[in-house]
Amino acid sequence: MSEDYSEAEDHRSRHSDSEHPDAPAESVDRAELLAAHLRPLIADGSEASRRPRIMVMAFEGWNDAGGAASAAIRTVASSLEAEVLEKLTEEEYYDFQFSRPKILRNQGHREIIWPSTTILRAEQPGVGFELLFVHGVEPSFRWQSYTADLLTKAAEYDVDAVVLMGALLADVPHTRPIPASFSAEDETLQEAIDVDSPTYEGPTGIVGVLAHTAYQAGIPAISLWAAVPHYVGQAPSPKAQLALMRKLEELLGLGLETGELAEDAAAWERGVDELAEDDTEIGDYVKRLEEATDTTNLPEASGDAIAEEFERYLRRRRPPE
């Protein structure tokens, strides 16, 4: 994987305390702000009273450092018991020498799993949004056709907004909370949910293409990125996955059970600590990154951060309507 460091640095440099996974709670409910922004956009008719429909997307490949984004969407979809609606399996999108099919055993039989894109739906009465999930492998060819196919599917399912998740390698220390941030190109959407405009210029992946094309097509599009320490960028990256899931909780008002993942993230951090102790060069580099990070305001021990964690706890315990 060859993530673009300048793109990661752009997301990191625009990062603020309010976009931090353990940052002080927002003074307003971002999920409710998003719902309020989308409700007037729902077409009049028999479905005028339905909840806003959100499509969350993540892709394996260049925009998936440490496998964090694809792992996050799989975990969230599974926890919400999302069911498969359909799969896009067109061979013309993939170079199978690059995105190779896999042979797996299924109930004693061997089968070939080809690169594909899966669309799932979660039926969650207690959530403020109707949720669809798209998980796939970044295509090798015909990106414009692939993007058009996915956004056509979004239109067929009456999607009101899309959320694109990605993860990038960056010069951040593993010992601090993983930075994760939102952005949107639509100025009205930026104001409505209090997110920044993207400023990056340079090579991009399918996540960036989809976000920009959705915006051009008039579909509200929100990008969510996590920064993965580049010196431990291989998969899995449970701490970055956890950061993405917590930000998705905030945006969509979900109550996800993340206790086991938090334990995995803590174990991952201890493992990297041991690596840094055994390698003086890495250890010194991590200390420099920590010093640079600590010059900013770290809010993890603040009262607002504790309140935000308590709100997550309440969402997990809230009975379905």
Side-chain angles (χ1 to χ4, degrees):
M1 184 182 301
S2 60
E3 268 66 27
D4 190 279
Y5 285 82
S6 60
E7 184 168 4
E9 181 59 29
D10 172 66
H11 285 282
R12 179 171 174 263
S13 64
R14 290 186 300 104
H15 172 67
S16 66
D17 289 345
S18 63
E19 296 298 327
H20 201 287
D22 292 317
E26 297 287 333
S27 59
V28 289
D29 187 326
R30 181 168 275 157
E32 180 52 41
L33 289 177
L34 178 59
H37 177 72
L38 295 178
R39 286 188 196 108
L41 304 180
I42 298 175
D44 295 334
S46 59
E47 285 194 313
S49 62
R50 68 170 171 82
R51 293 171 293 165
R53 193 166 293 150
I54 308 290
M55 178 178 275
V56 185
M57 306 187 202
F59 301 87
E60 298 175 24
W62 198 68
N63 287 151
D64 192 26
S70 57
I73 199 169
R74 286 196 303 267
T75 302
V76 174
S78 176
S79 67
L80 298 181
E81 299 180 344
E83 297 184 352
V84 175
L85 292 176
E86 61 178 303
K87 288 190 175 185
L88 309 180
T89 58
E90 287 80 353
E91 291 189 16
E92 61 193 13
Y93 292 136
Y94 295 104
D95 177 353
F96 294 130
Q97 290 184 324
F98 180 75
S99 300
R100 290 186 177 272
K102 299 175 183 177
I103 295 181
L104 300 177
R105 285 190 172 274
N106 183 14
Q107 297 180 345
H109 299 284
R110 288 160 63 86
E111 62 177 322
I112 295 178
I113 307 299
W114 296 91
S116 64
T117 300
T118 304
I119 303 176
L120 308 95
R121 172 185 286 154
E123 299 289 346
Q124 288 289 313
V127 176
F129 302 97
E130 296 180 17
L131 298 176
L132 278 73
F133 297 95
V134 175
H135 172 245
V137 178
E138 183 179 66
S140 306
F141 308 115
R142 303 189 66 203
W143 280 30
Q144 291 177 320
S145 296
Y146 180 83
T147 299
D149 280 354
L150 275 183
L151 294 183
T152 298
K153 292 296 181 183
E156 290 174 358
Y157 288 115
D158 295 321
V159 167
D160 301 302
V162 296
V163 177
L164 289 305
M165 289 200 301
L168 291 151
L169 298 176
D171 54 345
V172 295
H174 72 281
T175 54
R176 300 295 185 262
I178 295 291
S181 61
F182 295 112
S183 65
E185 290 191 54
D186 186 333
E187 293 183 1
T188 304
L189 183 58
Q190 292 169 24
E191 284 189 24
I193 63 173
D194 189 23
V195 300
D196 291 331
S197 171
T199 59
Y200 169 74
E201 294 180 278
T204 190
I206 196 63
V207 170
V209 171
L210 275 164
H212 180 67
T213 307
Y215 163 67
Q216 288 185 316
I219 302 173
I222 303 166
S223 297
L224 169 58
W225 292 92
V228 176
H230 68 85
Y231 54 93
V232 281
Q234 66 275 17
S237 187
K239 195 169 181 179
Q241 177 188 342
L242 181 61
L244 286 170
M245 288 175 60
R246 285 180 170 172
K247 297 302 288 185
L248 199 62
E249 275 189 304
E250 174 194 329
L251 182 66
L252 301 179
L254 301 176
L256 302 174
E257 179 52 61
T258 57
E260 185 175 345
L261 180 59
E263 292 177 2
D264 291 343
W268 174 87
E269 185 172 335
R270 289 193 297 270
V272 182
D273 285 343
E274 294 175 2
L275 171 66
E277 290 175 2
D278 294 338
D279 189 315
T280 304
E281 186 175 348
I282 291 180
D284 291 341
Y285 180 63
V286 170
K287 289 179 181 178
R288 291 197 299 272
L289 289 178
E290 289 173 337
E291 291 170 358
T293 300
D294 291 343
T295 59
T296 61
N297 183 27
L298 293 179
E300 58 264 58
S302 72
D304 284 342
I306 295 171
E308 182 181 10
E309 188 60 39
F310 183 63
E311 287 174 2
R312 285 198 195 100
Y313 168 76
L314 291 179
R315 284 198 296 268
R316 289 193 291 269
R317 290 181 56 89
R318 185 179 302 153
E321 297 178 0

